[in-house]
Amino acid sequence: MRITVDGELYAQYGLESEKDAIRERDKAKGAKSLAALARQRKLRLPELVRMWMDAHQDKAGSTLTSYESALKLHIEPRLNIRVEQLTLDDMNSFMRDLPKHLPKYARGGRSLGKRVADMVKATLRWASSPSVRLINENPLRDSTIRLPKKNPPRRAVQRSDFPKLMSATEKQQSQHLWLMLGATGARKGEVTALLWSDIDFVRNVVSITKISTPESKGAVVEERVKMNQEREVPLEESVAAYFLSIKQLRQAKQSDPVFPAPRKGGSIGHGTINKWWYRDCKKAGLPTGEGGYTIHSLRHMFTTMMIDAKEDVNVVSQILGHSSAIVTLGIYKHVTEEQKSSAIKTMGGLLMRGVV
């Protein structure tokens, strides 16, 4: 595409303004210089992924942060291969060994594996496209990368186990965190991003409008949430009163984080939260190994309790911040299946009364 910026021709290329045309022209110039660089030397996959990331900075900040983490922690050390030598076996070997390179709180590595696979495939498609031509051909074209095995089934914290967790964390900041997660069904990053201004103690609601990213260890807080589902979550009256007492005890300002870092100020980091979880579950005698509880199990506990209470699935979906009720039903299918079985047994018992 020939780009002109004389104020007349850019519209015919589907561009809205001359500014857009200038940006596209500069991108085209950049692509040409990159192609010249690639012809001069053999590029390795991490270099090419970096170029692809630099050319796609229009994505959400949390997405870019997750790309950066995947590149530095996994692609650079384990896929530092010349692009022309990259094979499907290399990618499948990477995926097969990925769980060995994850921290203990990671669940199998399937989501990370998919992210890396998507990054590599997108990079190769971009680099081999006619408009870029950093590489002559895509070495993984029409290939299917085998991802790590599916994560273990989601497990909710049992109702009888939650009081044990509360007792084990009495008068500790971690108790406040587990209570908020269990009472709202919010995601870890949404809760750690909360400021006191996000809690309305008159209406007893929590406004979830921000998220802290795990890749930045909680340091990056964005004015957005997953699936862009900003929402208000009601707080039960006694829970709201509990957090109001905490705010008053701390003499906290509206701009202060609800869950501050223990020593350095600011919002608490995700690494600290993970350590707290394993420490507190061990003290409470709760399982955390394979098939055991994760922090996300508190969200599952909240959801299963709502579904068990026969709450409208559309309402549950809105509280959870899912894009639709279909997503909620898909994730918690096992809960609804148990309800179906229970309903059928009840109906069968009624129908069979008096049958000889």
Side-chain angles (χ1 to χ4, degrees):
M1 179 179 96
R2 184 172 64 89
I3 298 174
T4 62
V5 289
D6 58 6
E8 297 177 1
L9 296 181
Y10 56 82
Q12 75 184 63
Y13 296 108
L15 301 169
E16 296 182 359
S17 67
E18 188 168 348
K19 182 179 179 181
D20 291 333
I22 292 172
R23 186 182 68 247
E24 292 298 321
R25 180 197 65 192
D26 291 344
K27 284 170 65 176
K29 285 181 178 179
K32 288 179 181 178
S33 63
L34 287 175
L37 173 65
R39 285 192 292 270
Q40 291 173 11
R41 61 187 179 84
K42 303 294 185 181
L43 285 172
R44 292 182 175 273
L45 183 60
E47 295 177 90
L48 198 62
V49 172
R50 171 65 68 188
M51 292 177 180
W52 170 76
M53 289 171 55
D54 290 343
H56 296 82
Q57 290 292 309
D58 55 342
K59 297 185 179 295
S62 58
T63 300
L64 294 175
T65 305
S66 70
Y67 285 169
E68 188 70 36
S69 175
L71 176 60
K72 287 186 175 181
L73 298 180
H74 301 284
I75 297 176
E76 286 181 351
R78 300 187 51 231
L79 284 172
N80 191 21
I81 303 168
R82 286 186 175 178
V83 176
E84 73 274 10
Q85 296 175 343
L86 180 67
T87 66
L88 181 59
D89 285 344
D90 292 324
M91 293 303 303
N92 286 337
S93 176
F94 171 89
M95 295 297 170
R96 187 169 54 251
D97 295 338
L98 183 58
K100 302 175 185 176
H101 298 268
L102 299 177
K104 64 180 180 179
Y105 53 82
R107 297 181 69 246
R110 189 174 178 85
S111 60
L112 174 59
K114 185 178 185 305
R115 183 186 308 153
V116 171
D118 289 346
M119 290 172 65
V120 171
K121 289 190 290 187
T123 294
L124 295 175
R125 282 196 303 268
W126 168 77
S128 61
S129 64
S131 61
V132 179
R133 274 297 173 217
L134 283 169
I135 56 177
N136 292 326
E137 61 181 58
N138 181 347
L140 297 182
R141 183 177 179 180
D142 300 325
S143 298
T144 301
I145 300 171
R146 291 197 298 269
L147 299 177
K149 66 179 181 179
K150 290 186 178 181
N151 294 328
R154 298 168 183 270
R155 184 177 182 186
V157 172
Q158 297 298 307
R159 299 181 196 187
S160 58
D161 283 341
F162 189 72
K164 298 176 185 176
L165 185 63
M166 292 293 96
S167 296
T169 55
E170 187 177 359
K171 296 182 180 180
Q172 296 181 34
Q173 187 178 343
S174 58
Q175 185 187 63
H176 313 158
L177 184 60
W178 312 145
L179 179 60
M180 180 63 79
L181 287 166
T184 61
R187 301 174 181 92
K188 175 172 63 176
E190 294 170 340
V191 166
T192 54
L194 287 176
L195 304 179
W196 285 110
S197 58
D198 295 318
I199 304 179
D200 185 336
F201 290 108
V202 176
R203 297 167 53 226
N204 289 346
V205 296
V206 178
S207 296
I208 297 179
T209 61
K210 302 180 290 298
I211 190 167
S212 64
T213 61
E215 291 80 14
S216 68
K217 300 181 181 178
V220 176
V221 175
E222 296 187 353
E223 296 293 330
R224 55 176 291 280
V225 292
K226 192 172 182 180
M227 305 299 294
N228 294 318
Q229 297 296 313
E230 295 186 1
R231 60 200 188 277
E232 287 188 340
V233 178
L235 275 181
E236 194 276 327
E237 187 175 346
S238 62
V239 176
Y242 176 82
F243 278 97
L244 179 58
S245 68
I246 293 172
K247 180 185 178 185
Q248 293 171 339
L249 183 65
R250 292 182 189 167
Q251 299 182 332
K253 302 176 183 176
Q254 288 289 85
S255 58
D256 289 342
V258 177
F259 302 102
R263 288 180 290 274
K264 60 184 178 181
S267 296
I268 191 170
H270 288 221
T272 300
I273 296 171
N274 291 324
K275 291 177 183 176
W276 283 358
W277 179 255
Y278 286 97
R279 178 200 68 191
D280 293 348
C281 283
K282 182 177 180 180
K283 185 177 180 181
L286 305 183
T288 57
E290 185 172 352
Y293 295 146
T294 67
I295 296 174
H296 215 61
S297 295
L298 293 171
R299 179 172 167 87
H300 301 324
M301 178 191 72
F302 174 90
T303 308
T304 53
M305 289 175 67
M306 294 283 281
I307 294 175
D308 286 345
K310 306 295 191 298
E311 296 294 341
D312 188 315
V313 70
N314 290 292
V315 173
V316 177
S317 178
Q318 291 170 13
I319 291 175
L320 293 173
H322 287 159
S323 57
S324 70
I326 295 174
V327 174
T328 307
L329 289 172
I331 294 174
Y332 296 97
K333 182 180 179 181
H334 63 288
V335 181
T336 54
E337 289 297 327
E338 288 173 4
Q339 287 185 344
K340 287 179 188 177
S341 298
S342 177
I344 291 297
K345 288 179 181 178
T346 301
M347 182 60 68
L350 291 172
L351 293 174
M352 290 302 292
R353 285 179 183 175
V355 176
V356 178

